[in-house]
Amino acid sequence: MSEWNQLAAGQTYPPGTLYVVATPIGNVADLSLRALHVLGLADAIACEDTRNTGQLLTRVGLQRPLVAVHEHNEREAAVKIVDRLAEGERVAYVSDAGTPGISDPGARLVEAVRAAGLRVVPLPGPSAAVTALSVAGDMLEAGEGRFTFVGFLPGKPKARGDAIAGLAALDHAWVLYEAPHRIADTLAALAEGLPATRRLLIGRELTKLFEETPVLTVADAPAWLAAEATRGKGEFVLVVEGAGRAELAGDGAPDAEAQRVLRLLLAELPAKRAAKLAASITGARTDALYQLALAQRADGDGSGED
Ligand code: SAM
């Protein structure tokens, strides 16, 4: 037995147990040594997609019987898995990528196994949210380490805008997942619904060849995405900075409405006049609006001359 194998085996893995195992979100080498050990011990591996998990097992040199458990059959499949566990088998459960149950199926299976009085053991590992948060730096610190995990925003524009409006006042960072076909719309909605200076970390293709983790303002994020045609094709997790003290105190930082008014005025007026007028209409600070106006001009927004 190799040294790592002994380390992983230095704990008991009782039969009649469901092992909920996190798997890589990109780089296969992120599969933990314990995960490898337990997958090898399992009498069966329950998974979201047998093809996907079959490929993972082939890459790490394992062959185990696979059982499909996805969101459409989770209840019925759970009954069969409970029967197998009751007969003393060890069953591992993996989702397609990352930690099961985190924006992934798994919760119903875990509930069914617990309800049957059987044991559930978690094996920790990669999760896109925690991976992105680990490099969020002062965005996390500002909220004293707290964060809100949101997962996927609603797909419909109105519901998505409402969700962002509801999250905008959180004083700590929040984490979003997004699919490649919706990332452009989501970045546009964040730019529309949040103060332009609010920052976000974009975790793109984490642990993969073209991994990127830029920190940008929400105003700059849509242009970043559009700057390279291939960018929209990756997988994305977003960490959005919480509202700072000044924003929450409402001490004149331009909110979404002030920015909308400024954009309209900028189309017709020089930056200084637009900022002054927007300030008297909305109550936001003139200097903050003027800075925003200059930034928008630099980005080619608005057409009025200074
Ligand atoms: N259970 C997974 C976890 O623990 O992270 C999440 C599953 S959820 C169905 C899939 C979403 O996670 C993707 O749409 C994307 O938002 C995010 N994600 C997964 N892998 C990623 C990666 N390598 N880089 C960035 N985001 C990723």
Side-chain angles (χ1 to χ4, degrees), residues 71-222:
E71 56 176 336
H72 306 296
N73 78 345
E74 199 172 344
R75 259 183 234 286
E76 310 87 82
V79 173
K80 292 190 186 141
I81 288 169
V82 166
D83 287 346
R84 295 180 77 144
L85 294 171
E87 281 166 21
E89 289 194 8
R90 292 180 184 90
V91 178
Y93 174 68
V94 301
S95 59
D96 271 351
T99 301
I102 308 299
S103 291
D104 259 346
R108 285 187 194 144
L109 176 59
V110 164
E111 269 318 303
V113 172
R114 270 219 194 94
L118 296 161
R119 196 184 329 221
V120 179
V121 171
L123 267 86
S127 183
V130 175
T131 307
L133 281 163
S134 72
V135 290
D138 62 355
M139 279 191 212
L140 256 190
E141 216 183 3
E144 292 168 4
R146 283 170 304 133
F147 63 87
T148 290
F149 177 71
V150 178
F152 292 95
L153 286 174
K156 298 214 166 100
K158 165 88 171 73
R160 182 170 49 214
D162 289 349
I164 291 171
L167 294 160
L170 285 179
D171 68 352
H172 55 266
W174 29 291
V175 186
L176 302 176
Y177 281 166
E178 197 45 280
H181 66 280
R182 288 205 329 218
I183 187 67
D185 289 345
T186 294
L187 291 182
L190 290 170
E192 181 74 25
L194 297 172
T197 50
R198 190 79 80 85
R199 293 177 308 158
L200 88 164
L201 177 141
I202 303 182
R204 173 178 180 269
E205 293 285 87
L206 294 173
T207 79
K208 301 187 199 176
L209 194 57
F210 297 108
E211 172 178 57
E212 296 180 271
T213 53
V215 175
L216 307 159
T217 63
V218 289
D220 289 340

Side-chain angles (χ1 to χ4, degrees), residues 45-68:
I45 299 176
C47 55
E48 253 191 293
D49 179 335
T50 51
R51 245 186 358 191
N52 190 46
T53 300
Q55 280 169 6
L56 172 70
L57 294 187
T58 305
R59 291 193 68 190
V60 297
L62 283 179
Q63 259 191 323
R64 307 306 307 142
L66 299 177
V67 182

